[in-house]
Every structure is written in structure tokens, then in C-alpha cells.
Amino acid sequence: MPSWPAVWMTLVWMTMTSELLAARVARHSDRPEAAVVDATGDITYREFWDRVTCTATALVGTRRIAVLPTSDIGSLVVVVAAMRAGVSVVLLHRHLLADEFADAMAVGKPSVIAAHPRQHGRLHGWGAGHVSAPDDLASGPTETIPTPTPNSELLVGVTSGTTGPPKLFMRNQASWAATLDRSDALFDLGPGDRVSAPGTLDHTHFLYGALHGLTRGATVDVRKAAVALEDDPTHLYSVPTIAWDIARSGVRSTSVREVLSSAARWPQSGRAALATALPNATMTHFYGASELSFVSYDRSESNGTEVNGQLFDGVEVEIRNELLHVRSDMLFDGYLSRVGDRTTLTNGPDENGWMTVGDRGTVEDGRLMLLGRGNETIVRAGLNVELAPIEAALLAVPGVLEAGVVGLPHDRTGEVPAAGVVVAQDDSISVARIRRHLSAVLPGPSLPVVLAVVDSLPHTPRGKLDRQALAATLATVRTVGSPDAPVTTNQTVSDPPS
């Protein structure tokens, strides 16, 4: 039987009047103002909702649709149409490897794969069969589109693939509706406003930002930040990488009132640089996870007022053995997994509604202070990167005897992976050979920015890799030699961060 907290949360939801995502967008369907702007032009709310309705009609009866979105109108039409029809979106991302894509398809079992035509080559390269363009899915309007229920699937996300085999996490309609409620309460956003969501929509932060803007009747601009800023946006969804690029570009925009950021925290110097570029903006940085949604936030007002570690309304936290546990109505349902011959949800919140993703932290005066996820996972440009698979890939290169990987701080991307390797003295190993091997077996975010050959790796008294000592060594690395030269002891090579 469900626990009392689970029953209580269900009863609370049943008494709430919160609309589901597609219904919130539908409220603005008769407006002539622009709903979405992309690199090809714009589309009004009336036109957008007509396309959503036609596409939703074609998806009726489909259980899941896999979407590899880009920053275009069609990607948003397909996503909203699926959510309107109660069809779960399997959200793919461009960093998947072919075997990871195959595994996601085997577990998610989508009936349709949709993407902009320029992504079809990538999908076919992964082994996909037929791929539909968003415009190909449209059908005639109908009055028989079913209304989704709060407990029906909304999104099956695929983790970045940089933490071992990708996991498929599932969130339902009610979870996203609750998250939208928190955004509505915290941010002043509505018709007449303009939301810039400049990152590719396969990143859930930017997809959420675009969808949030549509639910509020704002104009959503999915063009690159440098272009979008020329049209006076009022809100900017960002990650530290994009914020850093804006700060260094020399642009100055007085129209932006809110910067909404996720991923690794940006250094204070970087935030100060962005504040110079966007002098009237309040900056809010979310802490959360795909499984947890919103947990807490830091907020810096343009007048200098700061709030750090503030929990979102309705979020409870507990620290157990330094690990952060979270309970709220925004949590995911579990990981979609194969168990024998069937697919089921596993490792969701416990019977009392609590969940941890392994982050560490403390709670002081009701404020959450994060301590990170240990020293074996880093966040690079908004993506979790686990270090162990990088080490394993390096050790698979003939002639590499030992390998250690650490995260180094980086102003633009938050952190980057850096590697130290010990090689056999009688073997000729070129930098190009190591790079080719890593590029074939690792997703882009996992590729080390720095690769250094050392005499030996530092170890703790217990014999484990001393990552702190290795990080201190790799932090001093500079590029020497030619990229195609044989690797010799104490030679280093670095790649520009991406």
C-alpha cells in the first residue's frame, strides 16, 4: 500500500487547480503575438497552437515519441503536441554514442523518432531507421484528442552518457506542472515579455525555459544569445558557459530583468562580469537535478541584495551521513529500466517520498549549502562527467600503464577533465593515437582538456589515487610539442575547452 506521505501528496495534488503544461499554453492560443522566434523567422501563438493541434492529432494512440530537438520552431511544436496528446517524449541529446542510442531505444521503445532534417544524418549514423521531420507529423485537426492525466508520463529524459551507461529518467505531467508553479511564483513573466533560451533544446534547462515562456504567453527566442540580445529580451535562460561568453563579448543590455541559470555555480568574478553586461538583471542560479527538479536557489538582485541556498516552496531536505535527501511534489517517478523481459520503473523516491542523487551538503538556518558530489564526478558546461569511464578508456590504449583523471576549475565551463598517464618506456604512443581512441569511445564532454604523461601517479597511504595531488600537478600543465609527436615522459598536451 502507498505510504501516508504519498497518499497525502496525491490528495494535495487533487485539491490543486494547477493546469498541465499544454493547457497553460492553450490559454494563449488566440493571441496574434509571436510565440517563438528561431533563425528562420517567427510564428504567432495562433499559428503555433494550430500546428500543435494538427501534430497532436497524428500522435493520438502513440505511447512514446523520441525527439532529438534543435533550436527551432518545429522541435517545440512536436514536444508541446506530444504533451497535449498525453504522449511521452523521449528526449534525446546530441552527445549520445551509437550504442547508447540503441540502448535508449530498446528501453524507451518509442513508436516514432522525430528531428529536424539536419539531424537525420546523425540519427542514421547511430543506427536509427525511419526518422520523421516535425512538419511530416502534422494531420488534420480533430476534436478527439484525449486529455492527459496528472499521473501520465510527460518526459523520459536520457542522462548525458558521461556517467557510465545513460539512464532514462521519467517525470509525469503533475511533476512538471508543480515545477511550473514554482517558476510562476518566483519570476515576473507574462505577455509582452521576451524569453531568450539560447542553448540547444536537447538540454532540459533550455527546453524548460522555452516551455515556461510559452505557458506564460511570452515570446520565446531560441536564437543564439548574441543575436537574441539585440531584440531586448527581458529574461535569459543561461548556463555559466553562455553567461561567460556574453560577459566577454562586450555587449551591454539594459532590457534583461532576470537571468535564470543552472549547472555548475559560476565564479563570483564571472557573475560580476555578467552584471556589468546586464546591469538591470536579477541573477538566479538553481540547484536541482533531472530526478529532483528544483531544490534550492541563489539569487542576486541588481541592487546588491543576495539570498543563498533558499529552498523552493514545498521542498523538504534532510542530511543523512552527509548525503542530501529531498522530498517534494516535483520529484521524478524513477528510472525506466529493463528487468528481465519487461520494462519498469526502478530506484525512484522511497516509500516515504525521499530521494537522493548522491550530492553532499549541510543545512544551516534553513538554507542548503552544497558540498558537491564527491571528487569522482564533475560538471562541465552543465553536463555531469564521471571520471572513472575516462580512466578506463585511457587504460584501454596499448602502452598506457596507469591513468588518473581529475576535474580542474574553468571560468567558462565550470570544470573540465584533465588526465595524467604513465606509459611503457619501450612503446611509442602518439598524442594523436590517444586522442583518436578517446574520441571513438567517449562522448565529447568526457574528452580531457589536458593530457599529461608523468613518471608516476600520486597515491594515498591506502593506495588509492590521490586526486588532490594530481589536480595540483595538472593545474600547471601547458602545451608542449606537436600533437602528432610521440609521447615521452613529462610531455603534456592540452586541447582548447569546448
Side-chain angles (χ1 to χ4, degrees):
M1 290 182 62
S3 65
W4 166 245
V7 172
W8 177 83
M9 291 184 70
T10 300
L11 291 173
V12 168
W13 170 257
M14 291 174 64
T15 61
M16 292 175 64
T17 59
S18 295
E19 292 175 300
L20 302 184
L21 187 145
R24 297 178 190 226
V25 180
R27 278 188 276 148
H28 309 285
S29 60
D30 62 346
R31 294 182 52 225
E33 292 84 3
V36 185
V37 179
D38 69 7
T40 67
D42 60 35
I43 184 172
T44 69
Y45 267 92
R46 288 174 182 171
E47 295 167 331
F48 182 81
W49 191 252
D50 283 345
R51 288 182 59 180
V52 165
T53 301
C54 291
T55 305
T57 299
L59 295 177
V60 170
T62 302
R63 185 183 181 193
R64 296 190 183 111
I65 176 173
V67 182
L68 178 59
T70 54
S71 296
D72 67 290
I73 292 169
S75 291
L76 283 172
V77 167
V78 169
V79 170
V80 176
M83 295 173 176
R84 165 68 183 90
V87 175
S88 181
V89 175
V90 180
L91 185 66
L92 305 175
H93 60 78
R94 62 196 181 280
H95 295 300
L96 288 172
L97 301 176
D99 58 339
E100 296 171 342
F101 169 78
D103 188 60
M105 295 300 96
V107 176
K109 295 183 173 21
S111 303
V112 182
I113 302 175
H116 190 282
R118 65 174 173 265
Q119 292 286 1
H120 289 194
R122 184 194 300 269
L123 284 158
H124 292 318
W126 288 343
H130 178 71
V131 181
S132 297
D135 290 345
D136 296 339
L137 294 174
S139 179
T142 181
E143 307 241 345
T144 60
I145 301 174
T147 300
T149 64
N151 290 327
S152 61
E153 285 186 22
L154 178 119
L155 181 79
V156 176
V158 184
T159 58
S160 62
T162 56
T163 56
K167 297 177 181 178
L168 275 65
F169 59 91
M170 198 272 278
R171 290 187 62 188
N172 62 29
Q173 293 266 357
S175 169
W176 266 54
T179 304
L180 290 167
D181 287 341
R182 302 318 196 276
S183 294
D184 292 350
L186 189 58
F187 306 118
D188 176 22
L189 175 62
D193 287 329
R194 192 177 185 96
V195 177
S196 172
T200 307
L201 298 179
D202 63 355
H203 193 304
T204 52
H205 176 63
F206 295 106
L207 178 63
Y208 177 83
L211 294 175
H212 178 223
L214 289 172
T215 66
R216 301 297 293 170
T219 295
V220 174
D221 192 335
V222 296
R223 298 175 299 173
K224 298 297 184 183
V227 178
L229 285 172
E230 294 179 358
D231 286 333
D232 297 328
T234 56
H235 294 69
L236 170 67
Y237 271 82
S238 183
V239 292
T241 308
I242 290 175
W244 179 257
D245 289 343
I246 291 172
R248 297 177 69 177
S249 69
V251 69
R252 191 174 188 274
S253 173
T254 58
S255 66
V256 178
R257 303 197 312 264
E258 296 268 6
V259 174
L260 317 175
S261 178
S262 72
R265 278 185 169 83
W266 213 30
Q268 181 59 43
S269 59
R271 293 199 299 272
L274 185 63
T276 299
L278 310 175
N280 296 327
T282 293
M283 299 184 191
T284 303
H285 181 91
F286 308 121
Y287 161 67
S290 299
E291 299 90 340
L292 306 176
S293 188
F294 292 152
V295 177
S296 65
Y297 61 88
D298 301 339
R299 191 165 171 86
S300 301
E301 305 280 354
S302 56
N303 62 9
T305 303
E306 291 201 8
V307 174
N308 295 308
Q310 177 68 52
L311 297 177
F312 279 89
D313 288 344
V315 173
E316 300 175 77
V317 296
E318 287 185 358
I319 307 299
R320 307 173 190 171
N321 298 322
E322 288 195 345
L323 287 183
L324 171 67
H325 288 71
V326 177
R327 181 166 67 182
S328 80
D329 56 354
M330 295 180 283
L331 302 189
F332 82 145
D333 286 352
Y335 297 109
L336 198 62
S337 308
R338 280 179 294 185
V339 178
D341 295 331
R342 61 191 181 90
T343 301
T344 187
L345 288 174
T346 61
N347 298 320
D350 66 22
E351 62 180 7
N352 293 313
W354 291 95
M355 175 74 192
T356 182
V357 294
D359 286 329
R360 298 177 299 120
T362 62
V363 178
E364 302 174 7
D365 298 326
R367 300 292 172 86
L368 175 62
M369 302 296 138
L370 293 168
L371 303 176
R373 196 175 290 186
N375 57 4
E376 296 185 0
T377 302
I378 66 172
V379 179
R380 181 181 186 181
L383 296 173
N384 291 335
V385 176
E386 192 173 36
L387 305 183
I390 307 175
E391 293 175 354
L394 286 166
L395 290 171
V397 179
V400 173
L401 304 180
E402 290 185 81
V405 183
V406 298
L408 297 181
H410 190 274
D411 281 342
R412 182 169 181 267
T413 62
E415 294 176 286
V416 293
V421 295
V422 178
V423 301
Q425 295 297 317
D426 58 352
D427 201 350
S428 177
I429 308 174
S430 70
V431 170
R433 178 179 169 187
I434 295 178
R435 284 176 167 168
R436 282 195 299 270
H437 175 80
L438 296 182
S439 296
V441 299
L442 294 175
S446 295
L447 296 176
V449 166
V450 172
L451 176 63
V453 176
V454 296
D455 291 325
S456 61
L457 295 178
H459 292 88
T460 68
R462 292 176 177 264
K464 294 184 178 182
L465 177 67
D466 188 337
R467 296 187 188 275
Q468 184 174 359
L470 180 60
T473 298
L474 296 180
T476 65
V477 163
R478 295 292 183 270
T479 302
V480 298
S482 166
D484 293 317
V487 174
T488 58
T489 301
N490 294 326
Q491 179 177 328
T492 64
V493 59
S494 67
D495 296 322
S498 59

